[in-house]
Amino acid sequence: MTSKNVIAQSLKQPKSISIIGGGISGLSAAYYASKAFPATKVHLFEASDRLGGWINSERINLGNYGTALIESGPRTLRPNGVSGALVLDLIDKLGLESSLLSASKSSPAAKNRFIYHPDRLNQLPSSLASIPSALLKYKTLRAIPAAILNDIKTPAHKREENEDESVDAFFRRRFGDKIADNIASAVIHGIYATDSRDLSLRTAFPLLYKLEQRAGSVVKGLLKGVGKDKKEEALELAILDGISPSLRATMQTASIFSFKNGISEIVQTLESALHKNNNVEIYKSSPVKAITQQPNKDFVIDTQNGLSLESSHLISSIPAKQLSLQKLKLSIPVLKSPDVAVVTLVYPQTELPITGFGYLIPRSTPRQKNPHGVLGVVLDSDAMPKQDPKPITKLTVMLGGPYGLKSFDDDHLKNMAIETAVNQLSDNLHTPIASKVSVARSCIPTYPPGYQSTLQELHDSLSTDYDSRFAVIGSSFTGISVGDCVRSGWETIESYKAFGKATGLERWKR
């Protein structure tokens, strides 16, 4: 390296970095920062006594039935796209490959997905060839041919730069009312735990927006393969080229994956890796009380338990709602974030009417058939059967979201979940041998239509008011999946490496 390069690199290297929030976004940012800048002190602040945020895996004892792995948050990951490639790269670097479990693209967990409407389970077609038999069997799905034709015939709505619409409006316009009500709303319940009428198309599903704009319709765009950007494809390939050939080969046939002891394995391994780095300090049970900026533009972080630390760069991975409580020179958006109850029920191995990943419930399902406001049910023992040492039947019922929660009492929520499982799946599910109830308060942000413009304005403000030394990352800003969160941390540190500064929102800049 020449002396010029050494000087340039030293100018880009932050003196110190403070990261607020020890969920997967903050953990990823801390990990990448510790590797990129070994001489830079990295401080990670977490309000609770544990790291990982919504990721929380627990193994419970079932006596004669062995044990069961319970996931209170995300339960499976996908290897797709740049975000998926970054997670695989992280797995490779952390030495987690031997702990991986995956479901192949031909497995029931990958192919068999259902919706419950209006009073029965309907299996969604997994390919073009499976559409005819699905239409014959399920009345709810008979709107699909007309929907495809409508999409092909409907002209693209050419949009202004920042024009947006809700996911519901997009599906209603391109595919018709029945698809919007009976299928799209269910999918949004499963991913965002929100109402599709409240969710931004461009922020939540940029691929659908691109397909219409580039090909005139979603179907035409999929057939032409115009959804992916060349830069994204090149970046994904570059990341995958750096991981072990055995991991890459395994993931080529995988639809979803997890670990023997759940998603928390990646959190625990990241935490262990950070503890081994002398330049990283982790402060748990240290909620941030105040963020102030000094005249020299450095930041001071004061915590409620008396810590006070100064850093040249600041990264916030906490939800926008929490960040908005700080006295900052920023207009932080306050997003709707629904409460969701996650109830896992464990039974002796029990025959069910379906095998597959699970089913979702659209808002059009009559309320008397879904009285407890259930969003969907995951058949965990089909999705990841090897996580449990003995054959059992394990399923997770998700309640709340746009319906709100009727109760926060564990026993009440458990009984609502059991009643749902009995009425919608099988009479044999009355008496579980174990259960686990978790209530996630304000867990998944809902991006409103027009949110891209809000993020552009926030990027501009972080650039102007804080000289791009204050970055925001995580699910409130850059996507809700584990992969999205890992990518947000990675992108911010990559920007530090290249320019010495970042807002975390570079992808949204005008």
Side-chain angles (χ1 to χ4, degrees), residues 119-402:
D119 58 357
R120 65 181 299 193
L121 290 162
N122 304 259
Q123 185 172 350
L124 295 170
S126 58
S127 64
L128 288 174
S130 64
I131 290 177
S133 61
L135 302 186
L136 289 172
K137 192 172 183 180
Y138 305 112
K139 184 178 178 181
T140 293
L141 305 184
R142 290 175 192 164
I144 290 177
I148 293 172
L149 186 61
N150 189 76
D151 175 65
I152 291 171
K153 292 173 65 177
T154 300
H157 182 84
K158 293 297 179 182
R159 299 186 176 280
E160 300 297 327
E161 183 182 354
N162 289 315
E163 192 179 350
D164 197 4
E165 65 185 321
S166 71
V167 172
D168 179 79
F170 177 84
F171 273 91
R172 207 168 290 282
R173 176 170 59 80
R174 296 223 61 87
F175 296 100
D177 293 346
K178 289 183 178 179
I179 298 298
D181 290 332
N182 302 340
I183 296 179
S185 73
V187 172
I188 300 309
H189 282 171
I191 300 174
Y192 281 89
T194 195
D195 192 313
S196 58
R197 293 170 291 196
D198 296 333
L199 188 64
S200 160
L201 177 79
R202 290 191 68 175
T203 311
F205 294 97
L207 173 61
L208 295 178
Y209 172 82
K210 290 174 185 175
L211 290 172
E212 180 184 30
Q213 296 304 304
R214 293 173 181 177
S217 90
V218 174
V219 174
K220 289 177 185 176
L222 288 172
L223 293 173
K224 292 179 180 179
V226 299
K228 268 195 175 180
D229 295 315
K230 289 183 178 179
K231 282 185 179 179
E232 285 280 294
E233 286 184 325
L235 179 56
E236 181 183 352
L237 288 172
I239 296 166
L240 290 175
D241 280 346
I243 70 174
S244 72
S246 59
L247 178 57
R248 199 160 62 242
T250 299
M251 287 297 112
Q252 281 179 346
T253 59
S255 169
I256 54 174
F257 66 93
S258 182
F259 305 91
K260 292 174 183 176
N261 286 302
I263 307 295
S264 283
E265 282 202 48
I266 199 167
V267 171
Q268 292 157 2
T269 312
L270 271 172
E271 181 176 2
S272 177
L274 290 174
H275 279 304
K276 291 174 184 175
N277 285 323
N278 293 328
N279 63 326
V280 179
E281 292 287 345
I282 299 174
Y283 306 96
K284 298 180 189 177
S285 301
S286 299
V288 171
K289 180 174 67 176
I291 301 168
T292 53
Q293 193 174 29
Q294 304 288 80
N296 67 355
K297 295 189 177 180
D298 284 356
F299 298 92
V300 175
I301 311 300
D302 292 303
T303 70
Q304 290 181 16
N305 55 358
L307 281 171
S308 184
L309 291 169
E310 190 169 325
S311 292
S312 63
H313 290 66
L314 176 63
I315 300 172
S316 173
S317 70
I318 61 177
K321 188 180 289 187
Q322 292 179 24
L323 188 60
S324 69
L325 301 176
Q326 294 291 332
K327 294 177 181 178
L328 302 168
K329 296 178 287 187
L330 296 169
S331 178
I332 303 292
V334 178
L335 303 176
K336 237 197 255 186
S337 300
D339 302 325
V340 178
V342 178
V343 184
T344 300
L345 306 172
V346 183
Y347 301 85
Q349 193 169 32
T350 304
E351 186 175 349
L352 298 179
I354 60 171
T355 58
F357 190 82
Y359 65 91
L360 299 170
I361 306 176
R363 65 168 174 265
S364 53
T365 292
R367 201 57 187 264
Q368 64 269 27
K369 297 297 179 182
N370 186 29
H372 303 308
V374 171
L375 303 171
V377 176
V378 179
L379 305 182
D380 300 297
S381 46
D382 282 355
M384 285 289 145
K386 293 182 180 178
Q387 283 181 329
D388 303 313
K390 292 186 178 181
I392 54 174
T393 292
K394 183 175 63 177
L395 54 92
T396 298
V397 181
M398 297 167 290
L399 309 93

